[in-house]
Amino acid sequence: MSNGIPQLYTFSGQLVDRKRREGDTYVGGRLSEGSNTLTEEIPALVQPLSSKFMREISQLLEGKRSSGWIVVFCEVNTFREANDKTSTPSDILIYEGEEYEVQKVDPRTGRRLRHDKVFASLVD
């Protein structure tokens, strides 16, 4: 990954891991589970879900717990959310030994700072 957001790297000092699961496929009429790929030590800035962020994702909170959420700022295209049209599963973000499922990725592209704002909920 290129160093697209040096300011966040400098301030955060935090590292997260990403578990990416490829979608299940059918081979010869039988279900074949997708493989998992683990990417470790991704520089990021991790914050708890504040009331400001809660307003941004109120539709995601419907039917889900409001505790156990984090907001992660990282390089663009580091994480992906689920896509039902392509049967792509969400990435799992691992932070401080806990697994969080990526619920929403909000890309921010400005003149000086390009990053993703990732909302993730704790996996039970």
Side-chain angles (χ1 to χ4, degrees):
M1 284 186 244
S2 67
N3 191 349
I5 50 173
Q7 293 91 338
L8 292 181
Y9 292 168
T10 303
F11 293 121
S12 73
Q14 296 172 307
L15 300 172
V16 298
D17 298 336
R18 178 188 69 206
K19 190 187 309 181
R20 177 164 286 175
R21 183 162 182 233
E22 297 306 321
D24 297 338
T25 58
Y26 285 92
V27 178
R30 293 180 184 225
L31 179 64
S32 175
E33 286 191 15
S35 61
N36 288 323
T37 304
L38 182 65
T39 304
E40 297 179 323
E41 298 187 350
I42 299 169
L45 174 62
V46 181
Q47 298 181 356
L49 186 67
S50 67
S51 58
K52 172 187 169 187
F53 295 134
M54 211 173 285
R55 285 190 300 273
E56 291 182 54
I57 61 165
S58 60
Q59 71 276 9
L60 294 176
L61 292 172
E62 192 171 312
K64 295 187 180 180
R65 301 181 300 147
S66 60
S67 62
W69 283 72
I70 56 173
V71 180
V72 178
F73 296 89
C74 59
E75 189 172 331
V76 175
N77 296 323
T78 302
F79 292 96
R80 70 179 182 200
E81 59 190 66
N83 185 332
D84 292 335
K85 292 178 183 177
T86 61
S87 298
T88 303
S90 293
D91 284 340
I92 300 295
L93 187 149
I94 304 167
Y95 174 65
E96 293 186 345
E98 298 284 346
E99 291 190 352
Y100 297 84
E101 182 179 7
V102 173
Q103 299 295 328
K104 180 180 179 187
V105 178
D106 188 10
R108 303 291 179 141
T109 54
R111 292 187 318 179
R112 295 181 184 217
L113 188 63
R114 294 173 31 94
H115 65 278
D116 280 345
K117 183 174 11 174
V118 178
F119 296 93
S121 62
L122 190 62
V123 175
D124 290 330

